[in-house]
């Protein structure tokens, strides 16, 4: 399928089958869901498969493997684009030949158009019989044959070539979007180490896992299913699900979701999710559900053709027949006028007007670093009233940095150097931030001995003969004494949304370190620019409310905190009830929310899944591009409306003059070609657009 309108065509065809109650195509995941109202499902299934294949969309069972292309290179390219390549080649030769032999060149243009139209006309007939009589294939067939009949052979061939190019671009975009879904599924490993009741360990297929099975995950491995931790404590990177870069410590008995990454040790877990019901499966389902909730985006020309094509055909037929039959007028005169009307009604300018503007807008956006996946995405963006931002990696830099060094005993540089010594070599993001902060100050590197890391609590070691402990503020127990004044000072920093750890030297609370994932330098300017454009902003994050509130307050935007992927989707739905909303993110966890939103925007430095799921990708990872891209989308839609008004307006004027006999066939040709030239030139203005 090249576009969502193809999904609509298949649904329409299948709904016409007796026994089919409903048919729904989920375009993003290439799934067809059919509800039947009769018992003989096997016979009806065969009928459905035959109908889908005849419509041009053959079905494949979910249990089958999609066949891979065995060929590559020029042969595969020619099989896919052979018709388009051949048409362009023949037209080029015909154009050259016309310079010396006009009649031969015209005949060659005609032959190329007729041969190229054969598969399009065939599909138009099939779709017509299936309940879609005025599809874009029908429109293109009438336009091309009408142009041929009136001798406009070059125009007929060009319209056909533009149509085929558009179809190939849509097919490429949809294939890239589906690649993102496959990347999400690839998060779940194919095999896992299972621990049997007798203690035996064996690598088994993930598809064989059932609730109650014991599994073992090595550091760096991902969980294939939702499971309960059997170790006393372990750290997991949950960024695939929450987007937060800081590992989360889990206690024995805590549930860990599929897709989580084991960080610091070999862990044993007990599977609790059934096949198809893990966290990753739920994210896939959310993407599918979001796709089904969004009405299929039909191309403008398809919608217009529902009434335009039949009305024009009927009107031309009436112009040709009524005057001679009812008033005794000359057949030759009114056939001539009917042909002029058909040429004026030829939708060439309309066919070009919308894609010309869209192509110019898309090219300008790409030049500015925003990759927009098609005209439908550009149109949706122009109507956005809210922009929802993921926090980590989108509004923030995506990694924690040391923001505060409090010193109660001694010197701050000495404290930081000693803390960096015990954190040296750790892969924990907070530990790396301490080492980087010490290096940034040019502090001498110290050596620590007897280093012991306690998951979820902190780290300790011997530095220059002193016992040093760096412990999380919220994990201190009664054996650690901190004065009320120092406790309050540390808590004040923590209330600002920062992670705080107390540094004990020989048992004395000597200072504190604080970390935070800092805002991008351009975040505030971006939100301010959106506010000026009348677009409101909201932060959606899996972080705690303190941290989120502090950042959102400094940006003058709304926020919702503590959200898992499901929570982000619900937040988007709440906004979407009254407003059109765009979702900006960079993580896998943002993919369902992106699909649920009116438009999804991915940061260029984000995950492949986020980039492929989103409708727009910011290639240079700059959120400050968002206001300018929204402005460009609005300018593009104004251009589209201007083009449509010009194309329809000019045709309406000359339609009247042709019927009344004031203008002849040559003026009709000029009107059609002139309208096409005008809308194209108008669209090219977008190439010079600057926000």
């Amino acid at each position: 399928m090249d576009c969502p309108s193809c999904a609509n065509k298949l649904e329409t065809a299948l709904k016409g089958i007796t026994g089919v109650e409903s048919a729904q195509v989920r375009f993003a995941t290439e799934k067809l869901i059919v509800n039947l109202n009769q018992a003989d499902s096997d016979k009806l299934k065969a009928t459905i498969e035959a109908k889908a294949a005849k419509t041009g969309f053959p079905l494949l069972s979910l249990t089958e493997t999609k066949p891979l292309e065995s060929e590559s290179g020029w042969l595969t390219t020619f099989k896919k684009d052979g018709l388009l390549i051949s048409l362009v080649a023949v037209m080029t030769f015909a154009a050259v030949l016309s310079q010396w032999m006009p009649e031969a060149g015209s005949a060659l243009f005609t032959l190329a158009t007729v041969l190229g139209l054969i598969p399009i006309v065939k599909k138009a007939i099939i779709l017509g019989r299936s309940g879609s009589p005025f599809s874009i294939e029908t429109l293109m067939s009438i336009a091309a044959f009408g142009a041929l009949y009136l001798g406009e052979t070059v125009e007929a061939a060009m319209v056909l070539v533009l149509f085929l190019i558009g179809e190939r671009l849509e097919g490429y975009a949809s294939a890239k979007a589906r690649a993102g879904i496959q990347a999400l599924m690839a998060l779940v490993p194919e095999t896992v180490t299972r621990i049997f009741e007798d203690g035996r360990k064996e690598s088994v297929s993930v598809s064989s896992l059932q609730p109650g099975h014991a599994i073992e995950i090595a550091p760096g491995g991902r969980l294939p299913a939702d499971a309960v931790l059997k170790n006393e404590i372990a750290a997991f990177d949950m960024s695939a699900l929450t987007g937060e870069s800081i590992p989360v410590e889990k206690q024995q008995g805590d549930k860990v979701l599929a897709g989580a990454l084991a960080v610091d040790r070999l862990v044993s877990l007990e599977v609790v999710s059934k096949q198809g019901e893990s966290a990753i499966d739920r994210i896939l389902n959310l993407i599918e559900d979001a796709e089904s909730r969004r009405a299929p985006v039909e191309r403008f020309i398809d919608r217009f053709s529902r009434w335009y094509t039949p009305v024009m055909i009927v009107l031309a037929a009436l112009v040709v027949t009524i005057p001679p039959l009812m008033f005794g007028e000359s057949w030759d005169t009114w056939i001539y006028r009917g042909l002029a009307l058909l040429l004026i009604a030829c939708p060439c300018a309309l066919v070009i007007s919308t894609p010309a503007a869209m192509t110019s807008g898309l090219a300008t956006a790409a030049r500015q670093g925003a990759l927009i996946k098609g005209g439908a995405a550009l149109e949706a963006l122009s109507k956005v009233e809210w922009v929802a931002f993921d926090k980590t990696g989108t509004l923030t830099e995506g990694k924690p940095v040391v923001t505060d060094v409090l010193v109660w005993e001694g010197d701050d540089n000495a404290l930081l150097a000693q803390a960096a010594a015990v954190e040296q070599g750790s892969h924990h993001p907070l530990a790396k931030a301490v080492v980087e902060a010490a290096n940034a100050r040019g502090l001498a590197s110290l050596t620590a001995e007897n280093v012991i890391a306690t998951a979820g609590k902190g780290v300790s070691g011997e530095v220059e003969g002193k016992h040093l402990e760096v412990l999380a503020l919220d994990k201190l127990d009664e054996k650690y004494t901190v004065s009320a004044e120092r406790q309050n000072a540390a808590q004040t920093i923590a209330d600002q949304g920062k992670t705080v750890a107390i540094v004990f030297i020989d048992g004395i609370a000597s200072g504190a370190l604080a970390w935070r994932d800092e805002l991008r330098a351009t975040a505030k300017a971006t939100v301010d620019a959106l506010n000026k454009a009348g677009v409101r902003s909201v932060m959606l994050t899996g972080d705690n409310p303190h941290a989120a509130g502090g950042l959102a307050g400094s940006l003058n935007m709304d926020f919702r905190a503590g959200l898992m992927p499901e929570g982000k989707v619900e937040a988007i739905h709440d906004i979407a009830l009254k407003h059109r909303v765009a979702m900006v993110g960079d993580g896998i966890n943002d993919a369902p929310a992106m699909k649920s939103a009116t438009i999804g925007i991915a940061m260029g430095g984000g995950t492949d899944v986020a980039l492929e799921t989103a409708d727009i990708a910011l290639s240079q990872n700059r959120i400050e591009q968002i206001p300018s891209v929204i402005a460009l989308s609005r300018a593009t839609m104004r251009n589209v409306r201007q083009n449509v008004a010009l194309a329809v307006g000019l045709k309406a004027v000359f339609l009247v003059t042709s019927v009344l006999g004031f203008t002849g066939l040559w003026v009709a040709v000029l009107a059609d070609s002139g309208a096409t030239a005008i809308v194209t030139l108008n669209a090219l203005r977008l190439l010079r657009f600057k926000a």
Side-chain angles (χ1 to χ4, degrees), residues 323-399:
L325 291 177
M326 297 186 65
F327 304 103
E329 298 287 337
S330 167
W331 281 97
D332 289 346
T333 299
W334 288 99
I335 287 175
Y336 181 86
R337 293 182 182 181
L339 291 176
L341 189 150
L342 271 179
L343 182 57
I344 292 172
C346 179
C348 300
L350 285 171
V351 168
I352 294 172
S353 62
T354 300
M358 291 294 184
T359 301
S360 297
L362 295 174
T364 302
R367 192 173 65 246
Q368 295 177 359
L371 306 178
I372 303 178
K373 299 178 181 178
L378 196 63
E379 181 177 358
L381 183 64
S382 69
K383 302 174 182 177
V384 161
E385 301 163 289
W386 277 74
V387 175
F389 290 92
D390 171 52
K391 180 179 77 71
T392 305
T394 302
L395 289 172
T396 67
E397 295 291 347
K399 64 177 184 177

Side-chain angles (χ1 to χ4, degrees), residues 23-44:
Q24 182 188 71
V25 175
R26 293 184 171 178
F27 180 70
T29 51
E30 295 184 284
K31 288 184 181 178
L32 168 67
I33 300 173
V34 182
N35 292 322
L36 311 179
N37 56 16
Q38 68 179 53
D40 191 6
S41 59
D42 290 338
K43 182 178 179 181
L44 195 53

